[in-house]
Amino acid sequence: MKVERWTRTSRVFTGGLAVSVVILAAVPLIFDPDVVQKLTTLLILVLLAAMWNALAGYGGLLSVGQQAFIGMGAYATVFFANLGVPPYAAMLVATVVAGAISVPISLFALRLRAAQFAIGMWVIAEVASIVVRLDQNLGAGTGISLIQLNQYEPNFRQAYTFWLALGFAVIFLAALFLLLRSPLGVSLQAIRDDEDAARSIGVRVASRKRLLFVLAAFGCSAAGVLVVANTLFIEPGSVFSVQWSAYMIFMVLVGGLGTFEGPILGAILLFAIQATFTQGGPWYLVGLGATAAVFALALPRGLWGTVEERLGLRLMPVGYRVVGAKREETDG
Amino acid sequence: MTLLAVEKLDCRYGLLQAVRGVSFEVGQGETVALIGANGAGKTTLLRAIAGAHRPHGGRVLMDGADINSMPAHRRVSRGIALVPEGRRLFGGLTVMENLRVAASRRPGRWSVDSVLEVFPMLQPRRRALAANLSGGEQQAVAIGRALMSNPRLLLLDEVSLGLAPVVVDAVYRSLSGIIGEGATVVLVEQDLTRALEVAGRVICLLEGRVVLEGRAASLDRDRVVSAYFGLKRPA
Amino acid sequence: MTILNAILQGIFLGAFYAVLACGLSIMFGVMRIINLAHGDVAVLGAYIVLVIVDRTGVSAFVAFLIALPVMVVLGYALHFSVLERSLRAGILTPLLATFGLSIVIQNLLQLAFSPDVHSLGGSAGAVTTSSWQVTGGLSVSALGVLVLVTAVVVFGALQLLLSNTRLGWMMRATAEDADAAELVGINSRAVYASATALAVVIAALGGLFLGIRSVFDPVSGPTQLIFAFEAVVIGGMGSLWGTLLGGIALGIAQTLGAQIHPQFAVLAGHLLFLAVLVARFGGARVVLRTAR
């Protein structure tokens, strides 16, 4: 019997992923700016889904307030750009600053349980939204444009934004991937499986959760930065909207909570659905909400988790598998 | 007349098998003691009969009817009442509320008044929260609460656990009164002497299996002890 | 005087929040779950009253009485379709499932009633316009008094239910130990379902007051949920009278906040909620320890 991480499939897939990143990097050189813009949206969705999954799937922290960081990332970009920081530098600064706000928040938010944490985070997002509305310099309730980006020609601007999105997605997914593979990852999965048991064998649950919380906050801030870069205009009503949480929950639940690959699948699905139902509208949202609820109740491991369970397939080697051990009849 | 029949019952917690192919019958008016070491499967067996644990295989029959798929609360209205291990009182409810919430529509001799008569120590504590009672008082409420449904079959799980000997005596005095009135009782008891005193018949479990069964009067103590600990009988 | 008046209006507003929060508190008390669609259920109740008013021309209060049986049925349907399954599946599932349900209800309301705002104020009679001028700066609105009295009656009735009726004992027993409750003959499924039905009915009462006090639209629910949850947390989760006090504290915080700036009203409530969370969960202690 031996323990292995890499299977043939996961080797091929991880290699394929690396190749596809290289191919994706060439997208702006080949396609129209509006295609590039759509693919930027897809990357934002992938990033958001992966970050929400890091929180809920590995930390057991269900937040309906990650839009707090999306909005703060977006508004911080405008804020720093207005101070005279070059726009793309402002985006990096904004990601770091908005993400760092999660550290003081984590000091008390992580002590909250289930619904208190979920709604507590939501209230934090509402507070951030109100604060923005109070600030005339940030356009108050009516929104504001990132005019500094107009200095770039649209084609180049869209290309730069896409590369930034690709860079963020790769960095944060790789960070999550490495985190899950590190010795910390084992304790994270122990927490996911049984928090009390993990605590009783000496896993420092609180600090592990903080790590995920801060990672997810940086990731969501980066996504917010990309939202303003991609759309050039933001308003508090939409960038701080709980709708973001609805999308994240949909992507992760449908894709597979607590799996690495699932949220990526979920993001692609949501992107495809949005492309199909371009009109949006209530029926589309009824469908999203009902699907999320049905998956939560009936298929909690999501599409990917179910496939993984049935076929033993694993594309990304984040866990270990035991090979050659005979399944013993446990009796007594 | 057979009141309860257990047929080839299997109970599992995940991969752990707690009860393996246990069969026995309990007649109307009988008192049966289930004995065995810790982990022998006694509590699980009682919980399966009461409907609090879903068995993996086998059947439980009451009056010859299969009650396997019946939820615990409906078994209570059929006449099965369990005094669970650890008493499990509703600590935020008063003694009266604990008793009243368990009253059923089944006719019979038990009511709040008659329970308080059998357990006079509860009289002055009627309005106290169950959480604030002493261990003996709590056990009395737990038994009284089970009686409130006027059961035909009373299942008692370790009623003496954690109680001072004097208190155990008092509890058992009340119990023998109830048994004397013709109640059918299955009880789990760690104290072998006590079990042999009260019970008409003894069933000894070892690692989930019945290893010894017989009339309490006809069993000699050494045989029971060796069955209890799973020692080989002398050849 | 304006401060005094603000506090008085805050008490009236808070009584409304307490009614909204009451059902949330019941469900948390009995089942340890928070229904994230609670606000949407309240808004749904307001729409049902609105439909009855439009069809029959009766007053909003009469329409509410007609709507009651509908809400009971909806409560049981909610329980057996969504909550019962989610109860068995860990602590995150009820939140995820009811969040999905919240989106479904909001958008079905959009489809049925358009995104326009509605109000029940016009069909509630003189109570919406009457008020007593106590002194120059202090006025007591009839509606405020009605909501406050209703809130006290609702909480008082619940207290009586919980301490003096068999259903109340069964709820408390099941809340403490559902397994032991089954063993004394209590049908815990039925008790849970009736707790949900009760919560839905009281949520609809909150929806009625929402509609009479101000306006509502299909997406009003989440805001109501947040306020209701804040009231529950400020009052101490699981405590019935605490929820009434929590609602009133929230109402006062909002009306006092509005004294500073209209946009500070909601913000002040949120900040009170967050402050209570920090105080209760020792956030301050953690900050100190980390700083050292």
Side-chain angles (χ1 to χ4, degrees):
Chain A
M1 136 180 186
K2 62 177 181 172
V3 175
E4 64 177 33
R5 308 200 83 140
W6 294 89
T7 63
R8 201 183 144 78
T9 333
S10 71
R11 242 179 278 248
V12 170
F13 183 80
T14 311
L17 209 63
V19 172
S20 59
V21 167
V22 174
I23 294 173
L24 273 174
V27 158
L29 307 176
I30 305 163
F31 291 100
D32 289 344
D34 58 323
V35 174
V36 178
Q37 187 182 21
K38 285 212 175 71
L39 287 176
T40 308
T41 306
L42 173 61
L43 288 171
I44 294 172
L45 291 179
V46 168
L47 180 55
L48 286 175
M51 292 301 106
W52 198 86
N53 181 49
L55 264 187
Y58 294 102
L61 294 163
L62 194 157
S63 165
V64 277
Q66 290 310 100
Q67 64 271 19
F69 298 107
I70 300 174
M72 288 194 282
Y75 270 100
T77 307
V78 176
F79 177 79
F80 288 114
N82 284 350
L83 286 183
V85 181
Y88 283 99
M91 291 177 197
L92 297 179
V93 177
T95 304
V96 173
V97 170
I101 293 174
S102 66
V103 176
I105 291 177
S106 76
L107 291 180
F108 96 98
L110 294 182
R111 311 205 124 213
L112 308 179
R113 277 157 299 163
Q116 286 174 341
F117 177 78
I119 304 181
M121 288 304 298
W122 192 354
V123 170
I124 287 173
E126 293 291 303
V127 167
S129 168
I130 295 172
V131 168
V132 165
R133 280 169 214 265
L134 289 172
D135 191 343
Q136 291 299 331
N137 294 329
L138 290 175
T142 52
I144 195 163
S145 298
L146 185 59
I147 43 169
Q148 289 83 353
L149 272 187
N150 289 337
Q151 62 183 279
Y152 301 96
E153 211 212 315
N155 283 357
F156 286 110
R157 187 185 68 217
Q158 205 58 62
Y160 295 152
T161 303
F162 179 85
W163 283 322
L164 184 66
L166 188 62
F168 274 147
V170 168
I171 288 170
F172 282 102
L173 263 69
L176 180 62
F177 176 70
L178 293 175
L179 183 65
L180 293 177
R181 274 175 60 92
S182 74
L184 283 178
V186 179
S187 61
L188 287 172
Q189 304 204 359
I191 294 171
R192 178 190 68 182
D193 293 340
D194 189 339
E195 186 175 325
D196 292 327
R199 188 175 286 119
S200 73
I201 57 166
V203 173
R204 291 170 58 210
V205 173
S207 72
R208 299 294 181 274
K209 284 187 168 184
R210 177 159 303 131
L211 200 61
L212 287 171
F213 184 77
V214 171
L215 172 72
F218 273 90
C220 290
S221 303
V225 164
L226 294 170
V227 166
V228 68
N230 202 29
T231 58
L232 303 179
F233 174 79
I234 44 168
E235 50 170 340
S238 61
V239 82
F240 284 106
S241 165
V242 70
Q243 193 106 325
W244 288 111
S245 285
Y247 289 148
M248 287 186 249
I249 290 174
F250 174 86
M251 292 186 285
V252 174
L253 279 184
V254 171
L257 184 70
T259 66
F260 189 85
E261 303 88 339
I264 302 175
L265 175 65
I268 295 172
L269 278 174
L270 180 63
F271 179 74
I273 293 168
Q274 285 181 338
T276 316
F277 299 92
T278 43
Q279 296 299 312
W283 275 121
Y284 149 78
L285 289 168
V286 168
L288 285 193
T291 309
V294 166
F295 269 86
L297 292 173
L299 213 59
R301 296 179 56 81
L303 291 177
W304 189 257
T306 308
V307 168
E308 197 179 74
E309 202 170 46
R310 297 270 159 82
L311 306 179
L313 193 63
R314 178 164 290 171
L315 301 185
M316 295 294 286
V318 287
Y320 293 92
R321 63 178 52 227
V322 179
V323 184
K326 253 197 280 171
R327 242 187 103 89
E328 282 176 47
E329 198 53 34
T330 315
D331 203 0
Chain B
M1 204 181 79
T2 304
L3 183 64
L4 172 80
V6 173
E7 288 179 358
K8 298 200 178 98
L9 205 65
D10 275 314
C11 296
R12 295 184 180 176
Y13 296 96
L15 290 168
L16 180 84
Q17 190 159 2
V19 173
R20 305 155 191 250
V22 168
S23 301
F24 64 90
E25 290 187 350
V26 179
Q28 188 89 49
E30 244 193 315
T31 300
V32 176
L34 288 175
I35 59 170
N38 278 333
K42 309 174 302 268
T43 294
T44 308
L45 185 53
L46 282 196
R47 286 177 58 79
I49 296 169
H53 181 97
R54 185 166 288 265
H56 192 262
R59 297 199 299 170
V60 177
L61 299 109
M62 181 84 172
D63 304 315
D66 189 338
I67 56 168
N68 250 6
S69 56
M70 196 181 273
H73 69 269
R74 289 199 37 221
R75 298 191 195 195
V76 176
S77 49
R78 271 280 178 121
I80 300 179
L82 168 67
V83 178
E85 188 183 20
R87 310 190 262 274
R88 304 280 286 272
L89 291 185
F90 307 118
L93 274 65
T94 65
V95 170
M96 290 288 274
E97 288 170 341
N98 264 286
L99 295 177
R100 279 190 176 156
V101 78
S104 82
R105 267 163 297 186
R106 293 177 52 78
R109 105 164 197 54
W110 296 105
S111 64
V112 172
D113 290 337
S114 55
V115 166
L116 291 180
E117 233 166 76
V118 178
F119 298 104
M121 59 171 143
L122 295 180
Q123 267 296 352
R125 308 286 280 151
R126 285 190 316 245
R127 313 231 164 261
L129 290 184
N132 299 338
L133 300 178
S134 72
E137 289 166 345
Q138 288 194 352
Q139 192 61 67
V141 176
I143 296 170
R145 188 178 66 174
L147 293 174
M148 286 298 290
S149 63
N150 286 307
R152 289 188 295 152
L153 174 65
L154 183 61
L155 308 170
L156 298 163
D157 197 352
E158 306 246 14
V159 289
S160 58
L161 200 69
L163 299 184
V166 198
V167 183
V168 179
D169 285 340
V171 168
Y172 266 93
R173 263 200 306 280
S174 308
L175 267 183
S176 46
I178 296 163
I179 290 169
E181 289 173 29
T184 310
V185 176
V186 176
L187 62 95
V188 164
E189 180 54 77
Q190 288 277 4
D191 183 342
L192 212 53
T193 319
R194 192 83 67 180
L196 291 170
E197 259 170 38
V198 185
R201 195 149 57 93
V202 173
I203 294 172
C204 185
L205 292 180
L206 178 71
E207 288 170 4
R209 289 194 179 85
V210 176
V211 287
L212 183 69
E213 182 176 356
R215 303 218 55 82
S218 70
L219 290 174
D220 76 274
R221 215 185 140 80
D222 291 345
R223 256 184 85 197
V224 176
V225 169
S226 58
Y228 191 105
F229 292 110
L231 306 173
K232 286 259 161 56
R233 257 180 261 165
Chain C
M1 217 34 144
T2 48
I3 293 292
L4 203 60
N5 190 49
I7 291 174
L8 185 68
Q9 304 311 321
I11 292 172
F12 294 150
L13 179 63
F16 161 61
Y17 291 150
V19 172
L20 273 178
C22 186
L24 215 52
S25 192
I26 293 171
M27 286 177 67
F28 183 79
V30 176
M31 289 175 273
R32 301 277 136 189
I33 60 172
I34 289 293
N35 172 13
L36 291 181
H38 187 76
D40 306 290
V41 170
V43 172
L44 175 63
Y47 272 103
I48 291 174
V49 170
L50 180 76
V51 168
I52 296 172
V53 166
D54 282 352
R55 293 275 162 85
T56 63
V58 296
S59 99
F61 298 106
V62 176
F64 173 73
L65 292 180
I66 301 172
L68 275 184
V70 182
M71 298 313 293
V72 172
V73 171
L74 282 177
Y76 279 101
L78 166 67
H79 189 81
F80 289 119
S81 63
V82 176
L83 300 182
E84 189 176 76
R85 273 190 84 103
S86 70
L87 274 173
R88 280 179 261 140
I91 54 166
L92 296 190
T93 312
L95 292 171
L96 291 168
T98 55
F99 187 77
L101 181 68
S102 157
I103 298 166
V104 170
I105 295 176
Q106 285 168 40
N107 288 286
L108 286 179
L109 288 175
Q110 295 251 20
L111 287 164
F113 298 98
S114 84
D116 300 339
V117 295
H118 292 277
S119 172
L120 297 169
S123 48
V127 73
T128 48
T129 48
S130 319
S131 66
W132 300 281
Q133 201 72 20
V134 179
T135 58
L138 206 63
S139 79
V140 179
S141 69
L143 182 61
V145 173
L146 175 73
V147 174
L148 180 60
V149 169
T150 309
V152 172
V153 168
V154 165
F155 280 82
L158 265 178
Q159 177 71 65
L160 284 178
L161 173 84
L162 289 174
S163 47
N164 290 314
T165 70
R166 194 172 144 81
L167 178 62
W169 303 327
M170 293 201 295
M171 280 184 180
R172 284 157 62 205
T174 310
E176 265 189 43
D177 188 340
D179 188 52
E182 279 279 327
L183 289 173
V184 301
I186 297 169
N187 183 351
S188 57
R189 288 182 67 201
V191 169
Y192 284 151
S194 40
T196 303
L198 189 61
V200 166
V201 164
I202 301 174
L205 182 63
L208 172 75
F209 287 146
L210 170 71
I212 295 174
R213 290 180 52 91
S214 58
V215 293
F216 57 94
D217 63 34
V219 292
S220 297
T223 311
Q224 311 309 313
L225 168 76
I226 290 182
F227 292 157
F229 187 75
E230 288 178 339
V232 171
V233 168
I234 293 169
M237 288 184 89
S239 148
L240 187 64
W241 291 101
T243 299
L244 178 60
L245 295 179
I248 288 175
L250 177 67
I252 293 175
Q254 289 192 355
T255 49
L256 286 181
Q259 293 292 306
I260 305 168
H261 187 286
Q263 286 191 317
F264 272 29
V266 174
L267 185 62
H270 289 336
L271 294 180
L272 173 65
F273 164 76
L274 292 175
V276 167
L277 282 183
V278 169
R280 192 165 295 151
F281 292 96
R285 223 167 42 229
V286 180
V287 174
L288 288 179
R289 181 149 35 90
T290 320
R292 219 180 296 144

